[in-house]
Amino acid sequence: MTEYETILVDRKGRVGIITLNRPKALNALNNQLMTEVVAAAKAFDRDPEIGSLVITGSEKAFAAGADIKEMQDNRFPDVYLDDWLGPWDELGRLRKPVVAAVAGYALGGGCELAMLCDILIAADTAKFGQPEIKLGVIPGIGGSQRLTRAVGKAKAMDLCLTGRMMDAEEAERAGLVSRIVPADQLLPEALAVAETVAAMSLPAAVMMKESVNRAFETTLAEGVRFERRLFHAAFATADQKEGMSAFAEKRPASFTNK
Ligand code: CO8
């Protein structure tokens, strides 16, 4: 397996696990970490033995945002011409489902990274926020867009304009988080969810992810049309035949991802 310095990479069955690992900086997202997370995630995405991913951090911090010390001297022409942070968008283009397992701080880029994932599971210790305004900037990898779609304008404006943090309960009520678990159950729960997803037909899971994501990008009518085309296409897979035969024969399905 490739050597990384700012993340740990592991696999459990068909689940690829990426753990952010810059404990001294509360997993602040520097350029090296960005490059490594994107490379590791894309490698899992290409790996036929992997069906889903988990991205997690430490007990204290999922990630406390972009690395402020690294970026403080950035200049506009350089970051603009380099398309700085552009690689993060590649996480949003992963085909396989990604579970974010968030404990502690998920601030700024950390909250944005969690929102780039598909299922967000929070420990009861999680704290979410977009505090960029306190630094004189705004979010840079989709925070103002994805947070608004997730929690609505009122709460997004509240969080982004004041820079305050919200706890896991508030995040779940607002629709950012899909479930909250006790902190010591976070990784087992996230892995169980990822394993459940990875045991499904991979083509169906990828279609499902693509179809749900389409809801954020298009009109209802277009989204329903898109879903209908993929639904029809699912009948071209061996897994559809297997899934429905297994139901009729009252046995568990055994998918081949074909
Ligand atoms: N960048 C760099 N270093 C950090 C960051 C950060 N974002 N957060 C924490 N650290 C470092 C601290 O400097 C400190 O280092 P040292 O020991 O060398 O002084 C160490 O981590 C521990 O931090 P604290 O001592 O501050 O720990 P506390 O428990 O007292 O406080 C907090 C924890 C509240 C999380 C506090 O560290 C904090 O406020 N951090 C900054 C949070 C923040 O403003 N995040 C937003 C950053 S801007 C951003 O994300 C822009 C998004 C644009 C794109 C994103 C691309 C990835």
Side-chain angles (χ1 to χ4, degrees):
M1 213 176 267
T2 319
E3 288 294 316
Y4 297 110
E5 290 175 0
T6 62
I7 59 172
L8 305 172
V9 172
D10 199 1
R11 55 177 69 211
K12 190 160 181 283
R14 288 182 51 74
V15 179
I17 307 163
I18 297 173
T19 305
L20 310 183
N21 189 34
R22 293 189 69 213
K24 287 184 185 149
L26 300 183
N27 291 334
L29 307 168
N30 64 5
N31 290 327
Q32 182 181 3
L33 184 143
M34 168 175 68
T35 306
E36 293 187 356
V37 169
V38 171
K42 286 171 73 174
F44 280 139
D45 207 39
R46 284 192 301 267
D47 186 336
E49 302 303 318
I50 292 293
S52 65
L53 282 71
V54 170
I55 299 183
T56 193
S58 70
E59 259 175 50
K60 183 159 186 205
F62 178 71
D67 190 314
I68 298 166
K69 295 165 191 167
E70 185 183 69
M71 71 179 159
Q72 63 181 338
D73 294 325
N74 282 355
R75 291 178 60 251
F76 169 75
D78 302 328
V79 292
Y80 181 61
L81 292 174
D82 285 354
D83 190 25
W84 176 57
L85 302 180
W88 284 115
D89 297 339
E90 296 184 50
L91 288 191
R93 290 195 288 274
L94 297 176
R95 310 288 287 161
K96 294 172 184 169
V98 186
V99 177
V102 176
Y105 297 110
L107 302 177
C111 187
E112 294 174 292
L113 171 57
M115 291 190 292
L116 274 163
C117 301
D118 303 308
I119 300 177
L120 205 169
I121 301 181
D124 49 13
T125 58
K127 286 189 166 51
F128 298 89
Q130 298 290 162
E132 288 89 345
I133 193 151
K134 295 184 185 172
L135 301 167
V137 293
I138 67 169
I141 55 170
S144 64
Q145 305 304 299
R146 291 196 180 88
L147 186 68
T148 306
R149 282 165 164 80
V151 306
K153 176 178 169 179
K155 200 172 281 286
M157 284 288 193
D158 174 355
L159 289 161
C160 291
L161 286 173
T162 67
R164 76 173 174 90
M165 295 184 212
M166 68 175 165
D167 64 17
E169 293 283 344
E170 184 180 357
E172 191 191 32
R173 273 200 311 279
L176 180 66
V177 160
S178 62
R179 40 181 115 170
I180 303 176
V181 294
D184 61 356
Q185 287 305 304
L186 178 65
L187 202 53
E189 180 83 0
L191 283 172
V193 169
E195 279 162 11
T196 300
V197 173
M200 305 296 177
S201 158
L202 185 58
V206 172
M207 285 180 191
M208 190 73 83
K209 168 169 171 163
E210 212 181 351
S211 195
V212 172
N213 277 334
R214 192 54 66 105
F216 290 95
E217 287 167 10
T218 191
T219 62
L220 179 61
E222 277 308 318
V224 170
R225 261 194 289 277
F226 180 80
E227 180 195 73
R228 187 72 39 79
R229 291 286 86 79
L230 284 184
F231 176 67
H232 290 159
F235 285 81
T237 66
D239 284 347
Q240 172 269 322
K241 300 288 177 284
E242 165 61 12
M244 294 192 184
S245 304
F247 175 81
E249 292 160 18
K250 300 189 187 301
R251 62 173 174 81
S254 174
F255 294 119
T256 55
N257 300 331
K258 300 278 188 244

